[in-house]
Amino acid sequence: MSAPPAFPSPDASLTEVLRAALPDLSVGALLGFATGLALRKVGRLALVALGLLFVAVQLLASLDLLSVNWPRVQALADPLLQQGGQAALTGLGRVLTANLPFAGAYAAGLLLGLRGRG
């Protein structure tokens, strides 16, 4: 097991401080970027699947093989969507405050990965 990284002295220059934090920042940014790309791809796949499911349900409903109570579907989905968003924000807050240099670089890389083209 390796020793924890040594912190620069209080009178260290900005370059020395950044050099000490660079490994955490670069690993965090790389992992965040990779996570952002993966989330974007999985998100697209999930949205395509949801869209195809909706088309299939509508097709069956137009053929009078299926009847959908859309207000009931919305009533069931609303609490799940609201709780899911709150849980995601709480989890993100914990990640960002746990290890500031790593989490900050991770969040920046994640946003770049989500916004990137490809």
Side-chain angles (χ1 to χ4, degrees):
M1 188 172 195
S2 63
F7 291 104
S9 65
D11 58 343
S13 69
L14 179 61
T15 306
E16 292 171 356
V17 172
L18 288 176
R19 187 173 291 141
L22 190 59
D24 285 341
L25 293 175
S26 61
V27 169
L30 179 65
L31 291 176
F33 185 75
T35 303
L37 287 177
L39 284 175
R40 196 175 75 218
K41 296 294 182 183
V42 169
R44 283 184 182 170
L45 183 63
L47 288 175
V48 167
L50 184 64
L52 290 174
L53 177 65
F54 176 74
V55 168
V57 167
Q58 287 298 96
L59 178 65
L60 293 174
S62 72
L63 297 173
D64 289 329
L65 297 172
L66 182 69
S67 176
V68 180
N69 183 355
W70 288 112
R72 179 70 177 141
V73 171
Q74 182 178 1
L76 290 172
D78 279 345
L80 295 174
L81 294 174
Q82 290 173 356
Q83 290 172 357
Q86 291 170 353
L89 287 176
T90 302
L92 180 62
R94 269 192 307 236
V95 167
L96 291 177
T97 58
N99 185 358
L100 191 58
F102 182 84
Y106 181 85
L110 178 68
L111 291 175
L112 285 173
L114 288 172
R115 289 193 54 151
R117 300 183 194 272

